[in-house]
Amino acid sequence: MAVLDEMHLRRNPTLTVGQKFWSINWGLVLLICLLSGFGLAMLYSAANGSFQPWAGRQAVRFLLGLSVMFGCALIDIRFWFRFAYPLYILSLLLLVAVEIMGSIGMGAQRWIDLGVIQLQPSEIMKVALVLALARYFHGLTVQDVGRPHYLIPPIFMALAPAALVMRQPDLGTAIMLLMVTGAVFFAAGVRWWKFAIVIALVAGAVPLAWSHLHGYQRNRVLTFLNPESDPLGAGYHIMQSKIALGSGGVLGKGFLQGSQSHLNFLPEKQTDFIFTMLAEELGMVGGLLLLTLFFLVFVYGFAIALRSRNHFGRIVALGLTINLFLYVFINIAMVTGLIPVVGVPLPLVSYGGTAMLAVLFSLGLVISVSVHRDVRIPRRGLREEA
Amino acid sequence: MGERRNEEQGRYRRFARRAVMLGGGQLLLLGALAGRMYYLQVVEAEKYKLLAEDNRINIRLLPPPRGRIVDRFGTPLAVNRQNYQVLLVSEQVADLDDTLDRLGQIVPLTGDDRERIHREIKRKRNFVPVTVEENLTWEQVSRVEVNSPDLPGVSIDVGETRHYPFGDRLSHIVGYVAAVSEKELTGDPLLELPGFRVGKSGVEKLHDEDLRGTAGTSQIEVNAVGRMIKELSREEGHAGREVVLTLDSGLQEFVFNRLSNEPSASAAVLDVETGEILAMASVPSYDPRPFNLGLSQQQWQELVNDPLSPLSNKAISGLYAPGSTFKVMVALAALEAGVGADHKVFCPGFMDLGNHRFHCWKRGGHGSLDMQGAIQHSCDVWFYDTAKRIGIDRIAAMAKRFGLGDTVGVDLPGERGGTIPTRAWKLANIGTQWQGGETLVNAIGQGFVLTTPLQLGVMVARLAGGKAVVPHVTRGLRGGGAPDQLVSLPAPKLDVPEAHLDIVREAMDMVVNSPRGTAHRSAIDHPGWEMAGKTGTSQVRRITKAEREAGVIKNEDLPWRRRDHGLFICFAPVDKPRYACSVVVDHGGGGSSAAAPIAKDIMTETQRRDPIGSRPLPLVAQVGQNEA
């Protein structure tokens, strides 16, 4: 043990930019590029074999996002540790701003128009919340985590943005925020029975929540339960998506040959339903290949979390990986008819600027955790050591 | 320091344990996704493949052009004519009412029309054309085309509509087409096409399936809103078959025009060898065109309520007492029963049976007559006496052999059978025993006996040619992707001795060509074209005893409805019969005065044209078609 400790101490915690660059996980970067390549190919097909209007713009965004990712990866983990709370506060303020002056888009107030791009604060919040929670749990001992009153601040840190997002109304993102919070709590070592209590409370609150749901949200749940009941109405999306998937078969109809997508039976094929289109044209083989690529990304994320020498980095890497996983799972489960239709895009693949930037930003943070895995951050914070 | 490190290690170990659990959970969920994909894309793939095909493929029917109907020489009797329609595509129209206002200045549009257009647009998808008006004149078409810049979304389309060049002169035989009614839907998708027409009467109805042809199909790929993307495959159908009739349209026209001098009359001209109907007319008739376009309620009521019933083809559906034309049947029955042609009866102008007196049409009587004399003079008493000897059942048996008493099976819808009474028939239908006096009345073609003009034509054709011909108007079918088919074929011999027929033929020759015959005024004086015939007068009222004593009122003095029907049957030429003809003039008075002159003109024209001698449209008979 002592020998190992000596080795760690000898290693210089402050690396040069060149060293950092070479310690980036290039395998992970390759996976990310492959996934985005898949996405661009499908967007090219969705436009009937054209780079306009989606694939071309998405490629530019991807390159932009890639540079953001590298930028994040090279920034010292201690910077993110220091700015975790301010970033969270800023995100919370942006959510409030959306509530006050958000413009109307898709029947929900989710955007802030900054002139150049439309900013979606809930996307930033997903990252900021993980950072803030990681920052908080970093400062708790195992014993502290076991004390209930220590859990009250992080619960409110999660509930505040979730409530604001719910008001937009964006049920899917609100649930995702809570699920990520749950995962972080779990990873931080919160006891099983506490989760059991929360789950019991939620189950008891379902009837109450039902009465507060918007009409369209209720319809989504109802048509999920029986999509065939209204094939031309609300169940149309799910039915057509299942038809597209099923008719694709094992090997698919061939690139650019998906009849369901190209004849517009498939709704929003360039965004939420892009996986359906992929599985229709490239079949189960293509779908499973994409799932495998995602799986490898998650493996990288978990490995990075486990190798980090600071608790903050561990929780950040794990939380953001789980966040990414939830995106992937909810999207694919939705288009295959396993869960109700919730507006969640498929990360790196679906068309959309903010989502692409947010995902690459969070992956940049994960890589940063990896690059700075040997940086030690004292439990009580940085100032103490300095 | 050590304590802190231990604590740090404890925190790490717990984190690692929890991370592995979360990783395991993720793997499980990803496995569920993969399983779901396997279920959808492998287990249920077939079901969804079908659903996807249903989604994207629409089958569109290509309606085949309806077959033509032509006469024996190929003259068209029913053809397809181009029908110019104004169509409107609502998605291209900015202001529907404004566009309809502008269109209304070119094509008259009623309030009903506009209401219908609004309704159809609401029902159909907005890129499906809606018919605004059909059957535009060339001038209207040009005006719409010229104004097309001001009429966005309005276009001209050419459809097909049925045209009958002979109009009312052939409507009873050719029939007409009209929109498919609810009852006629058989499941054939062709019938459900908008604007599709089916035969509703005559040859159009009888040969509807041949004329209709088979629909082609075009598989088209459509998108989610049903708009056509491209044609995937196309299977051409067969055009409808051409129906060749036995008619000679020129003769038909002559017969119809000749009959049109009378308020109500009918006639048929037949080939005695084959039973081919060369001409058959019934006046008044109707114009088939309005049926195709859709008859208004008022037009329909007028046709139905017309006392002269123009809609009915009286030649096959009018029932008349045959009067004295029936006497040739009694004569043939007598010959078969052993009553010789030399059997003589003295006619005092009446015959008493029981306490009832049966009068001859000639008040003073004919004196002593043999069979041929009785036919020549149409003496009633000779036939009373002979009928009484042989009985009604023998007469009926003979009449049946000549096609009376039941439908003769002409290939036209709406034929009626008439009545030839027997003892058993009366018991079954009236419920009382046959009376002796009834034999006498029926022997002169009155009483229960009822025939159609065509049956009388068949009777005289069989008599003249000695063959059991069946009348028909269809000669054959051509084209439409199938081999030609000849329907007209020679008929078998009639089961009556030629010697008996000769006796009656000779007597009918005397009726026309002997100076004392009842139809001598109508003899054809062209050498070689002479005809033989038999007059008939069918009483429609009962002559009371008082009237008979005061003197029977002349037909001219009676109201038209109560006048006698005039009948005449004939064949020509006398020495080698080829054509047979029957003429019935409703309420025309006597057969010799009303019907015989018409028959003379028809027979003269028939022999002048000689349709049998002229070369008809070639039709190759196929092996195995002999049952026809």
Side-chain angles (χ1 to χ4, degrees), chain A residues 1-11 309 376, chain B residues 1-2 5 9:
Chain A
M1 277 305 278
V3 178
L4 273 173
D5 237 358
E6 287 302 312
M7 282 173 68
H8 287 305
L9 286 171
R10 246 180 275 140
R11 193 174 282 180
R309 287 190 162 270
R376 286 174 183 272
Chain B
M1 193 70 186
R5 191 178 303 146
Q9 276 176 352

PDB file of all heavy atoms in Angstrom, chain A residues 1-11 309 376, chain B residues 1-2 5 9:
ATOM      1  N   MET A   1       0.840  -1.220   0.000  1.00  0.00           N
ATOM      2  CA  MET A   1       0.000   0.000   0.000  1.00  0.00           C
ATOM      3  C   MET A   1       0.854   1.241   0.000  1.00  0.00           C
ATOM      4  O   MET A   1       0.634   2.176  -0.738  1.00  0.00           O
ATOM      5  CB  MET A   1      -0.898  -0.023   1.256  1.00  0.00           C
ATOM      6  CG  MET A   1      -2.155  -0.862   1.066  1.00  0.00           C
ATOM      7  SD  MET A   1      -3.147  -0.415  -0.343  1.00  0.00           S
ATOM      8  CE  MET A   1      -4.052   0.954   0.319  1.00  0.00           C
ATOM      9  N   ALA A   2       1.881   1.189   0.839  1.00  0.00           N
ATOM     10  CA  ALA A   2       2.756   2.364   0.961  1.00  0.00           C
ATOM     11  C   ALA A   2       3.450   2.663  -0.339  1.00  0.00           C
ATOM     12  O   ALA A   2       3.577   3.814  -0.744  1.00  0.00           O
ATOM     13  CB  ALA A   2       3.782   2.136   2.081  1.00  0.00           C
ATOM     14  N   VAL A   3       3.879   1.598  -1.024  1.00  0.00           N
ATOM     15  CA  VAL A   3       4.578   1.780  -2.298  1.00  0.00           C
ATOM     16  C   VAL A   3       3.655   2.446  -3.307  1.00  0.00           C
ATOM     17  O   VAL A   3       4.024   3.403  -3.985  1.00  0.00           O
ATOM     18  CB  VAL A   3       5.078   0.418  -2.826  1.00  0.00           C
ATOM     19  CG1 VAL A   3       5.762   0.592  -4.169  1.00  0.00           C
ATOM     20  CG2 VAL A   3       5.993  -0.241  -1.823  1.00  0.00           C
ATOM     21  N   LEU A   4       2.459   1.946  -3.340  1.00  0.00           N
ATOM     22  CA  LEU A   4       1.484   2.508  -4.270  1.00  0.00           C
ATOM     23  C   LEU A   4       1.282   3.995  -3.995  1.00  0.00           C
ATOM     24  O   LEU A   4       1.268   4.804  -4.901  1.00  0.00           O
ATOM     25  CB  LEU A   4       0.145   1.782  -4.135  1.00  0.00           C
ATOM     26  CG  LEU A   4      -0.009   0.511  -4.996  1.00  0.00           C
ATOM     27  CD1 LEU A   4      -1.300  -0.187  -4.633  1.00  0.00           C
ATOM     28  CD2 LEU A   4       0.036   0.879  -6.480  1.00  0.00           C
ATOM     29  N   ASP A   5       1.171   4.303  -2.672  1.00  0.00           N
ATOM     30  CA  ASP A   5       0.950   5.689  -2.288  1.00  0.00           C
ATOM     31  C   ASP A   5       2.094   6.589  -2.767  1.00  0.00           C
ATOM     32  O   ASP A   5       1.858   7.673  -3.280  1.00  0.00           O
ATOM     33  CB  ASP A   5       0.842   5.773  -0.760  1.00  0.00           C
ATOM     34  CG  ASP A   5      -0.476   6.402  -0.343  1.00  0.00           C
ATOM     35  OD1 ASP A   5      -1.263   6.793  -1.269  1.00  0.00           O
ATOM     36  OD2 ASP A   5      -0.716   6.521   0.849  1.00  0.00           O
ATOM     37  N   GLU A   6       3.290   6.062  -2.611  1.00  0.00           N
ATOM     38  CA  GLU A   6       4.451   6.825  -3.048  1.00  0.00           C
ATOM     39  C   GLU A   6       4.376   7.142  -4.524  1.00  0.00           C
ATOM     40  O   GLU A   6       4.629   8.251  -4.977  1.00  0.00           O
ATOM     41  CB  GLU A   6       5.754   6.024  -2.762  1.00  0.00           C
ATOM     42  CG  GLU A   6       6.149   5.954  -1.284  1.00  0.00           C
ATOM     43  CD  GLU A   6       6.335   7.328  -0.684  1.00  0.00           C
ATOM     44  OE1 GLU A   6       7.054   8.162  -1.330  1.00  0.00           O
ATOM     45  OE2 GLU A   6       5.761   7.610   0.380  1.00  0.00           O
ATOM     46  N   MET A   7       3.984   6.155  -5.322  1.00  0.00           N
ATOM     47  CA  MET A   7       3.883   6.337  -6.766  1.00  0.00           C
ATOM     48  C   MET A   7       2.882   7.445  -7.093  1.00  0.00           C
ATOM     49  O   MET A   7       3.120   8.282  -7.933  1.00  0.00           O
ATOM     50  CB  MET A   7       3.457   5.034  -7.437  1.00  0.00           C
ATOM     51  CG  MET A   7       4.596   4.041  -7.586  1.00  0.00           C
ATOM     52  SD  MET A   7       3.997   2.467  -8.197  1.00  0.00           S
ATOM     53  CE  MET A   7       3.533   2.940  -9.854  1.00  0.00           C
ATOM     54  N   HIS A   8       1.773   7.412  -6.381  1.00  0.00           N
ATOM     55  CA  HIS A   8       0.755   8.424  -6.640  1.00  0.00           C
ATOM     56  C   HIS A   8       1.256   9.814  -6.317  1.00  0.00           C
ATOM     57  O   HIS A   8       1.008  10.758  -7.047  1.00  0.00           O
ATOM     58  CB  HIS A   8      -0.513   8.128  -5.827  1.00  0.00           C
ATOM     59  CG  HIS A   8      -1.269   6.976  -6.363  1.00  0.00           C
ATOM     60  ND1 HIS A   8      -1.698   6.902  -7.654  1.00  0.00           N
ATOM     61  CD2 HIS A   8      -1.661   5.808  -5.775  1.00  0.00           C
ATOM     62  CE1 HIS A   8      -2.319   5.774  -7.849  1.00  0.00           C
ATOM     63  NE2 HIS A   8      -2.317   5.064  -6.722  1.00  0.00           N
ATOM     64  N   LEU A   9       1.983   9.891  -5.202  1.00  0.00           N
ATOM     65  CA  LEU A   9       2.446  11.199  -4.788  1.00  0.00           C
ATOM     66  C   LEU A   9       3.487  11.753  -5.738  1.00  0.00           C
ATOM     67  O   LEU A   9       3.576  12.942  -5.951  1.00  0.00           O
ATOM     68  CB  LEU A   9       3.024  11.124  -3.363  1.00  0.00           C
ATOM     69  CG  LEU A   9       1.975  10.981  -2.277  1.00  0.00           C
ATOM     70  CD1 LEU A   9       2.645  10.695  -0.930  1.00  0.00           C
ATOM     71  CD2 LEU A   9       1.146  12.257  -2.195  1.00  0.00           C
ATOM     72  N   ARG A  10       4.257  10.785  -6.341  1.00  0.00           N
ATOM     73  CA  ARG A  10       5.304  11.244  -7.236  1.00  0.00           C
ATOM     74  C   ARG A  10       4.719  11.832  -8.521  1.00  0.00           C
ATOM     75  O   ARG A  10       5.281  12.695  -9.149  1.00  0.00           O
ATOM     76  CB  ARG A  10       6.252  10.085  -7.575  1.00  0.00           C
ATOM     77  CG  ARG A  10       7.659  10.299  -7.011  1.00  0.00           C
ATOM     78  CD  ARG A  10       8.521   9.129  -7.374  1.00  0.00           C
ATOM     79  NE  ARG A  10       8.375   8.045  -6.410  1.00  0.00           N
ATOM     80  CZ  ARG A  10       8.319   6.767  -6.756  1.00  0.00           C
ATOM     81  NH1 ARG A  10       8.340   6.410  -8.025  1.00  0.00           N
ATOM     82  NH2 ARG A  10       8.223   5.840  -5.834  1.00  0.00           N
ATOM     83  N   ARG A  11       3.578  11.297  -8.924  1.00  0.00           N
ATOM     84  CA  ARG A  11       2.985  11.776 -10.177  1.00  0.00           C
ATOM     85  C   ARG A  11       2.525  13.212 -10.027  1.00  0.00           C
ATOM     86  O   ARG A  11       1.851  13.551  -9.067  1.00  0.00           O
ATOM     87  CB  ARG A  11       1.805  10.888 -10.582  1.00  0.00           C
ATOM     88  CG  ARG A  11       1.334  11.119 -12.001  1.00  0.00           C
ATOM     89  CD  ARG A  11       0.278  10.122 -12.362  1.00  0.00           C
ATOM     90  NE  ARG A  11       0.883   8.825 -12.687  1.00  0.00           N
ATOM     91  CZ  ARG A  11       0.157   7.781 -13.047  1.00  0.00           C
ATOM     92  NH1 ARG A  11      -1.137   7.863 -13.097  1.00  0.00           N
ATOM     93  NH2 ARG A  11       0.741   6.662 -13.353  1.00  0.00           N
ATOM     94  N   ARG A 309      -9.726   9.192  -9.083  1.00  0.00           N
ATOM     95  CA  ARG A 309      -9.228   9.217  -7.701  1.00  0.00           C
ATOM     96  C   ARG A 309      -9.955  10.264  -6.869  1.00  0.00           C
ATOM     97  O   ARG A 309      -9.678  10.412  -5.684  1.00  0.00           O
ATOM     98  CB  ARG A 309      -7.734   9.505  -7.701  1.00  0.00           C
ATOM     99  CG  ARG A 309      -6.961   8.319  -8.187  1.00  0.00           C
ATOM    100  CD  ARG A 309      -5.481   8.506  -7.953  1.00  0.00           C
ATOM    101  NE  ARG A 309      -4.835   7.199  -8.023  1.00  0.00           N
ATOM    102  CZ  ARG A 309      -4.673   6.429  -6.968  1.00  0.00           C
ATOM    103  NH1 ARG A 309      -5.084   6.819  -5.790  1.00  0.00           N
ATOM    104  NH2 ARG A 309      -4.089   5.249  -7.090  1.00  0.00           N
ATOM    105  N   ARG A 376      -6.283  14.884  -7.001  1.00  0.00           N
ATOM    106  CA  ARG A 376      -6.983  14.652  -5.741  1.00  0.00           C
ATOM    107  C   ARG A 376      -7.686  15.932  -5.319  1.00  0.00           C
ATOM    108  O   ARG A 376      -7.118  17.013  -5.388  1.00  0.00           O
ATOM    109  CB  ARG A 376      -5.990  14.226  -4.658  1.00  0.00           C
ATOM    110  CG  ARG A 376      -5.518  12.808  -4.844  1.00  0.00           C
ATOM    111  CD  ARG A 376      -4.441  12.500  -3.827  1.00  0.00           C
ATOM    112  NE  ARG A 376      -3.909  11.170  -4.018  1.00  0.00           N
ATOM    113  CZ  ARG A 376      -4.453  10.092  -3.449  1.00  0.00           C
ATOM    114  NH1 ARG A 376      -5.497  10.215  -2.653  1.00  0.00           N
ATOM    115  NH2 ARG A 376      -3.935   8.899  -3.656  1.00  0.00           N
TER     116      ARG A 376
ATOM    117  N   MET B   1      -4.353  11.260   8.955  1.00  0.00           N
ATOM    118  CA  MET B   1      -4.085  10.986   7.542  1.00  0.00           C
ATOM    119  C   MET B   1      -4.579   9.599   7.177  1.00  0.00           C
ATOM    120  O   MET B   1      -5.333   9.396   6.244  1.00  0.00           O
ATOM    121  CB  MET B   1      -2.553  11.101   7.297  1.00  0.00           C
ATOM    122  CG  MET B   1      -2.160  11.144   5.829  1.00  0.00           C
ATOM    123  SD  MET B   1      -2.645  12.674   5.008  1.00  0.00           S
ATOM    124  CE  MET B   1      -2.183  12.264   3.353  1.00  0.00           C
ATOM    125  N   GLY B   2      -4.213   8.610   7.952  1.00  0.00           N
ATOM    126  CA  GLY B   2      -4.606   7.228   7.712  1.00  0.00           C
ATOM    127  C   GLY B   2      -6.098   7.041   7.864  1.00  0.00           C
ATOM    128  O   GLY B   2      -6.715   6.348   7.065  1.00  0.00           O
ATOM    129  N   ARG B   5      -7.665   8.306   4.910  1.00  0.00           N
ATOM    130  CA  ARG B   5      -7.508   7.433   3.760  1.00  0.00           C
ATOM    131  C   ARG B   5      -8.449   6.232   3.855  1.00  0.00           C
ATOM    132  O   ARG B   5      -9.073   5.839   2.872  1.00  0.00           O
ATOM    133  CB  ARG B   5      -6.059   6.976   3.650  1.00  0.00           C
ATOM    134  CG  ARG B   5      -5.753   6.283   2.315  1.00  0.00           C
ATOM    135  CD  ARG B   5      -4.292   5.895   2.226  1.00  0.00           C
ATOM    136  NE  ARG B   5      -3.429   7.036   2.394  1.00  0.00           N
ATOM    137  CZ  ARG B   5      -2.229   6.985   2.989  1.00  0.00           C
ATOM    138  NH1 ARG B   5      -1.770   5.859   3.474  1.00  0.00           N
ATOM    139  NH2 ARG B   5      -1.490   8.058   3.110  1.00  0.00           N
ATOM    140  N   GLN B   9     -11.255   5.165   1.304  1.00  0.00           N
ATOM    141  CA  GLN B   9     -11.340   3.852   0.687  1.00  0.00           C
ATOM    142  C   GLN B   9     -12.715   3.225   0.896  1.00  0.00           C
ATOM    143  O   GLN B   9     -13.277   2.592  -0.012  1.00  0.00           O
ATOM    144  CB  GLN B   9     -10.251   2.939   1.250  1.00  0.00           C
ATOM    145  CG  GLN B   9      -8.925   3.148   0.524  1.00  0.00           C
ATOM    146  CD  GLN B   9      -7.810   2.315   1.122  1.00  0.00           C
ATOM    147  OE1 GLN B   9      -7.979   1.684   2.180  1.00  0.00           O
ATOM    148  NE2 GLN B   9      -6.652   2.345   0.493  1.00  0.00           N
TER     149      GLN B   9
END
